[in-house]
Amino acid sequence: MENIWNALNRAVDELLGRASGPMHLRLLMQPAMATFFAIRAGLRDARENQSPFLWTFLTAPGERKRLAMSAWKDIGKIFVIALLLDTVYQIIALHHFRVLQTLLVAIVLAVLPYVLVRGPVARIARATRPRGG
């Protein structure tokens, strides 16, 4: 049990170390890029009168593949770049490679901001667009 706690403490320390280590600017740039693409997709969703992204993804199994493909088209490159940059960071700063940490970092930097922003942007855009025609 002590080994599990040691591994967990090491992982947390290594993850938190990214905030001040080399290449820390990516921790701002990648979520900003994901947010930009989420805003663009949310505005497109509003224009096409699509239902909210995350809610639809969670509740409409028939729509999941289409939504996942749409999201991947927007953030796939950012996700891959996050994977590559975290791998480089680990080799430079930690002198080893931890796959789960790399996946977690890429998800937090690319996927999470996209998922959290796309739906609200679509809702706001729908609420503020002029009525009638």
Side-chain angles (χ1 to χ4, degrees), residues 39-50 122 125-126 129:
I39 291 169
R40 193 174 73 166
L43 293 174
R44 183 180 61 236
D45 289 347
R47 194 172 45 254
E48 296 172 0
N49 208 25
Q50 297 287 325
R126 264 195 293 277
R129 89 174 148 203

Side-chain angles (χ1 to χ4, degrees), residues 17-37:
R18 286 164 170 78
S20 60
M23 302 168 50
H24 68 276
L25 184 60
R26 70 191 170 99
L27 301 177
L28 299 173
M29 296 302 295
Q30 289 171 330
M33 291 168 41
T35 299
F36 167 78
F37 287 112

Side-chain angles (χ1 to χ4, degrees), residues 82-102:
L83 290 172
L84 293 173
L85 288 177
D86 197 66
T87 299
V88 170
Y89 167 82
Q90 286 187 43
I91 292 168
I92 290 171
L94 305 176
H95 306 293
H96 58 263
F97 177 67
R98 301 197 194 287
V99 176
L100 292 178
Q101 284 186 23
T102 301

Side-chain angles (χ1 to χ4, degrees), residues 63-128:
E63 292 291 307
R64 284 187 188 137
K65 183 175 181 180
R66 179 187 65 81
L67 291 171
M69 295 301 288
S70 169
W72 184 252
K73 180 181 169 196
D74 289 339
I75 60 169
K77 289 178 184 152
I78 299 168
F79 185 81
V80 170
I81 290 169
L83 290 172
L84 293 173
L85 288 177
D86 197 66
T87 299
V88 170
Y89 167 82
Q90 286 187 43
I91 292 168
I92 290 171
L94 305 176
H95 306 293
H96 58 263
F97 177 67
R98 301 197 194 287
V99 176
L100 292 178
Q101 284 186 23
T102 301
L103 289 173
L104 178 64
V105 168
I107 289 168
V108 168
L109 294 181
V111 177
L112 189 63
Y114 182 86
V115 168
L116 293 177
V117 171
R118 183 174 172 175
V121 166
R123 285 186 176 107
I124 291 168
R126 264 195 293 277
T128 60

